[in-house]
Every structure is written in structure tokens, then in C-alpha cells.
Amino acid sequence: MTGVLAPPPQGSDLKPVPGVPGIPYIGNTLAVMRDPIGQARKRYDAYGPVAWGWLLGQRTCTVQGPEAAEAVLVNRDKAFANGPAWSYFIGPFFNRGIMLLDFEEHLHHRRIMQQAFTKARLRAYMDAMAPGIVKGLDAWEPGQGFKVYDHVKQLTLDLAVDVFMGVELDRAERDRVNGAFIDAVRAGTAYVRFPVPGLRWHKGLRARKVLEEFFYRHLPAKRRDGGDDLFAALCQAETDDGHRFTDEDVVNHMIFALMAAHDTTTITLTTMAYHLAKYPEWQERLRDESLALAKPQPDYEDLDAFTGIDMVMKESLRMVAPVPALPRKVVKDTSILGYHVPAGTVVVVPMLSNHHMAQWWPDPERFDPERFSPERREDKVHKYAWAPFGGGAHKCIGLHFAGMQVKTILHQVLQRYRWSVPARYEWPLDTTSLPSPKDGLPVRLDRSEQP
């Protein structure tokens, strides 16, 4: 049965937000999680760019298209808050991470954190990553059934330890910390959102304690000794007027940053690997580009030469946005594209499905990196047509680090290996949490000197 979210104020020319509430609390949660792009198309066709329904236990207003995304993400009248929206999903596990702060407090923390992502710091991180990439990729064993997602996730988690933590850990301790991050992320989309032993929410709460204990244990040495890693950078970061992070701030930001860095990079690299396996002509084009550099490890200044990798990365981020949806909580009555949205509403910007809207992207299901070539630049049709890193004040602070890491890793993979999938293979993408292949993306991996 169709219903409206809330009637507009008397005398207002705003429209009520339409939708189909369905079963209270449950609504169409299962359908959206299984087929977010298909469900988004049905919703848009039926109700237009702004519609509501029940999602994961909340009355949720979903806004589709770049114009609606801009209204919410730019947030000119400060009506949309990150903290209360994200806290519902990941608050207990990533408490007071940079994405969960708002307005002046967020800006204050971001100014300090920006010191950890200067060009000089990025160069240092890139140098710190190099040995770990070589070690990780050399350990890959060619053959049939090589699971790309699992190996890339292990690599990015190990690199996060090296580059972000700068702490020497044995394999058992690395695995313990890595496992805690995995449990904390998966807890965010738990159906049962209270601590039942053995279920996602309970595992996430235990994981948070593991991570807090780990960082507090190593923090005094980082404060004392410094270093080229993110942990040290956050301990040392200071604004021009002398503001620094407390110990609690550092721990909160480290837990969030490590989650954000390794998960999104893993998804991006896996999506790229899938399409480069499906379209071997692109794989060869990128390999030629990397071999032309004539360096086993690129320098920071070399990254701009990877124009092919850049186009494939952007198209992969379009096809599978690593953060599929951006939620906000409405803190005062507002409007979106002429629709009345009352205070207390949860608003979601679904980047995963926005990137597949035929109104903005010709033939959106086709892998076509040339969309991002200088001649075409289809993403320029609207500032928010392509926004995998969000936008506005909360635009991802680590986006340049992410691009650097993806290009650096893929450059070395291309020089070492070729990979392929059967002609009719289509990956089964799991969208119930952050998007990932259910089968781990099995490929045939060969050393690059082999045909």
C-alpha cells in the first residue's frame, strides 16, 4: 500500500515523499540487500528520485540521482548529520571515527587528520608499502582456482599493518588483528542488532575490544618514538594553532582508518581484477603501460603515467562503489528536490545504484573505461554523477592514498602475473554488506612470462 513519509507544513508548496512502507521495520530490506540496483530502478520508475520505505529497522528516505546526492552531501543548510546515521550501523564498532563526527567537531578533527595525508606523508607511506607488496605478491601461487578477493584482502590487511601501524607483529598477531577488523565491519549490517553470542553484532563488539586493547598498548611508544606510519602521524599531528589528538582520539581514528583503507581498496582491486580477467585486451593494455615504465616499483611521481589503470580504476569504482550507500540523519525539517523531509528521517544516498542510472550513464552495465578518457569524461555530466568517495565536507580524506595504493599494487601484479576466467563466468556479487564476490573470484593465475 502506498503511503507518504509525512505531510508538508500547511501552506507549503513542498511535496510529500511517496513510497511503499511494506512490513514495519522489515519493509523491503531483504530485496534491497539482494538486488540493490534492480530495486533502485523499480523505486525510481514508480516514485521518482525521492521515496521512502522501511530499511534495516528504520523509516528511510532514499534519494536517487546526482542532483539529489548533491543536495544531501553538500548539505548547505546543515540539515543532514553523519554521526547519528552511521552510528546506527557501525557506531559501536567504529565509535567516533572521522566519518561519525559532524559540523564544527568534524572540521576540527579533519584539520588535524589532514596532516597525516600530506604529499610528503603519502610518499613515505608509498615507500613503506613497497617491501610488503613485493613479499605479498611473491607468495602468490599460480594455478587454477586462485581466489583473488581472499589474497588481495590478506595483502591489503598486511599493508595496513605495515603502513598504518608501523608495528612489528608475528603472523598470529596479524591474523588476530585482521580478524577483528573483519568481524567489526560485518557487524554493521547484522539483522539481529543486539549481542547474541555467535552472531555478527556480538562478534563486532568483541572485535572492538580487541582493537582498542591493541592500539592503547602500542600508543605510548608511538607518542615517544614517532615514525613514518599513520599511527605516528596521528600521534604527532598538530594544527597551526597547536591542537592535537588525545589518546582516545588517536585510537578511534586508527580503528576507523584501518577499516576504511583496507576494505575499500580490496573491493576496488578485486573489481578491477574481475573486469581485467573478463576483458583481456584491457589487461594487456595496462600491462604494456606498466612495462613501459621500466621500473619494478614506481615512484610517487610516476603514478600520473598510469592513465589506463586510472580509467579502469574509475570505471570499476563506478560499477561497484565500495561504500554502496551513504546515510544521513535529518536534524531539522528540510527539503530535497522539492520534497518535504521532516527532522528525524534517515536519508540514504545509494551510490552503488546511482552509478548505474541510464539517465546519466549510457549503457551503464557495460564495462567501458574509456568513459573516463579526456575525450569523453562522462562523469563530467554532473559533479555528483560519479562520487564513490562521497562529497562535501565528508568527502573521503584518504582518496589520494587509495588511488596511490591501488595503482602501486596493480602495477606490480601486472608485471608478475596474467589471470583469466572462463568465457561465460559471471561473478556472484554479495551486496548484503560491503560488496564482495561470494566465491572469492576464482581465476586461473599464471606467471606473466607464460602465454
Side-chain angles (χ1 to χ4, degrees):
M1 186 176 70
T2 304
V4 300
L5 180 62
Q10 277 195 332
S12 167
D13 59 357
L14 296 175
K15 296 173 286 188
V17 176
V20 175
I23 304 169
Y25 299 102
I26 297 172
N28 62 346
T29 296
L30 297 178
V32 168
M33 293 181 83
R34 286 177 186 146
D35 181 19
I37 295 169
Q39 289 297 314
R41 283 186 182 136
K42 288 181 182 177
R43 188 186 311 114
Y44 188 90
D45 290 344
Y47 304 108
V50 183
W52 81 277
W54 286 96
L55 191 66
L56 279 171
Q58 299 185 102
R59 287 161 58 95
T60 302
C61 177
T62 302
V63 300
Q64 298 191 64
E67 292 167 343
E70 181 176 24
V72 173
L73 300 180
V74 174
N75 197 15
R76 288 187 177 89
D77 64 351
K78 293 187 166 69
F80 305 102
N82 260 39
W86 278 111
S87 292
Y88 178 80
F89 297 101
I90 62 173
F93 322 111
F94 298 100
N95 181 45
R96 293 186 61 75
I98 189 72
M99 196 169 70
L100 279 74
L101 304 178
D102 281 297
F103 309 124
E104 289 306 314
E105 184 181 35
H106 168 258
L107 187 60
H108 172 68
H109 279 248
R110 192 178 178 97
R111 282 182 181 139
I112 303 174
M113 187 175 273
Q114 198 67 56
Q115 306 307 308
F117 290 97
T118 62
K119 197 168 282 188
R121 282 285 184 184
L122 290 176
R123 281 195 181 91
Y125 300 152
M126 191 166 167
D127 291 341
M129 260 194 292
I133 294 173
V134 172
K135 181 180 177 184
L137 295 183
D138 283 348
W140 287 8
E141 295 183 7
Q144 196 72 37
F146 177 90
K147 293 196 174 181
V148 173
Y149 179 83
D150 301 354
H151 284 81
V152 169
K153 190 169 186 67
Q154 186 66 63
L155 176 64
T156 58
L157 282 164
D158 285 344
L159 291 177
V161 171
D162 296 336
V163 179
F164 281 13
M165 299 187 201
V167 177
E168 287 293 326
L169 302 178
D170 61 28
R171 184 76 257 170
E173 182 73 347
R174 278 179 183 254
D175 289 344
R176 190 173 78 93
V177 172
N178 291 351
F181 275 109
I182 292 167
D183 285 345
V185 170
R186 287 180 61 80
T189 51
Y191 294 126
V192 180
R193 307 184 73 78
F194 48 89
V196 176
L199 298 186
R200 281 189 183 187
W201 196 263
H202 183 258
K203 288 180 180 178
L205 294 174
R206 287 197 324 188
R208 172 74 191 196
K209 291 186 184 301
V210 168
L211 296 171
E212 284 181 351
E213 184 278 327
F214 174 85
F215 285 112
Y216 276 118
R217 177 158 39 94
H218 290 284
L219 195 143
K222 283 293 170 188
R223 289 275 197 207
R224 183 184 69 240
D225 302 332
D228 288 331
D229 51 90
L230 180 68
F231 199 177
L234 293 181
C235 287
Q236 297 159 3
E238 187 173 332
T239 60
D240 292 340
D241 49 1
H243 288 288
R244 303 183 73 181
F245 284 138
T246 66
D247 286 0
E248 184 180 7
D249 291 335
V250 171
V251 170
N252 288 335
H253 288 316
M254 279 301 297
I255 291 174
F256 179 80
L258 265 99
M259 177 276 292
H262 88 259
D263 257 328
T264 53
T265 304
T266 297
I267 294 163
T268 303
L269 280 165
T270 303
T271 306
M272 293 172 77
Y274 170 64
H275 289 105
L276 292 175
K278 294 273 288 182
Y279 301 91
E281 67 277 12
W282 272 99
Q283 188 179 146
E284 290 307 316
R285 175 172 168 175
L286 266 53
R287 183 170 292 106
D288 290 344
E289 181 179 88
S290 282
L291 292 173
L293 187 64
K295 287 182 181 178
Q297 298 175 27
D299 296 320
Y300 187 80
E301 289 70 25
D302 295 323
L303 297 178
D304 287 341
F306 294 144
T307 56
I309 292 178
D310 190 65
M311 288 192 295
V312 170
M313 178 178 72
K314 287 176 176 175
E315 176 70 337
S316 296
L317 286 166
R318 181 191 72 82
M319 297 195 80
V320 181
V323 181
L326 304 173
R328 299 290 190 267
K329 190 74 171 277
V330 179
V331 294
K332 61 183 179 181
D333 285 4
T334 189
S335 64
I336 303 172
L337 302 187
Y339 290 90
H340 169 63
V341 183
T345 305
V346 174
V347 172
V348 168
V349 182
M351 294 319 307
L352 180 66
S353 54
N354 272 7
H355 287 168
H356 288 258
M357 295 183 74
Q359 296 90 327
W360 303 94
W361 297 96
D363 198 2
E365 302 313 312
R366 184 163 66 95
F367 175 71
D368 182 10
E370 293 284 357
R371 298 177 195 275
F372 295 92
S373 65
E375 299 78 25
R376 287 172 59 185
R377 289 308 302 267
E378 290 179 9
D379 57 311
K380 292 297 185 183
V381 67
H382 189 285
K383 187 177 179 182
Y384 283 83
W386 183 82
F389 297 102
H394 281 276
K395 190 169 186 176
C396 175
I397 198 170
L399 68 93
H400 296 298
F401 175 87
M404 175 196 75
Q405 187 175 37
V406 166
K407 291 177 182 180
T408 304
I409 292 172
L410 192 62
H411 169 69
Q412 297 216 34
V413 173
L414 287 161
Q415 292 181 101
R416 282 173 169 77
Y417 301 107
R418 280 182 168 83
W419 61 98
S420 59
V421 291
R424 294 173 182 263
Y425 172 79
E426 298 287 337
W427 70 347
L429 193 64
D430 182 356
T431 51
T432 59
S433 182
L434 298 185
S436 62
K438 294 176 185 177
D439 60 359
L441 181 54
V443 303
R444 176 187 169 90
L445 187 74
D446 294 302
R447 297 210 180 273
S448 59
E449 63 266 23
Q450 296 176 2

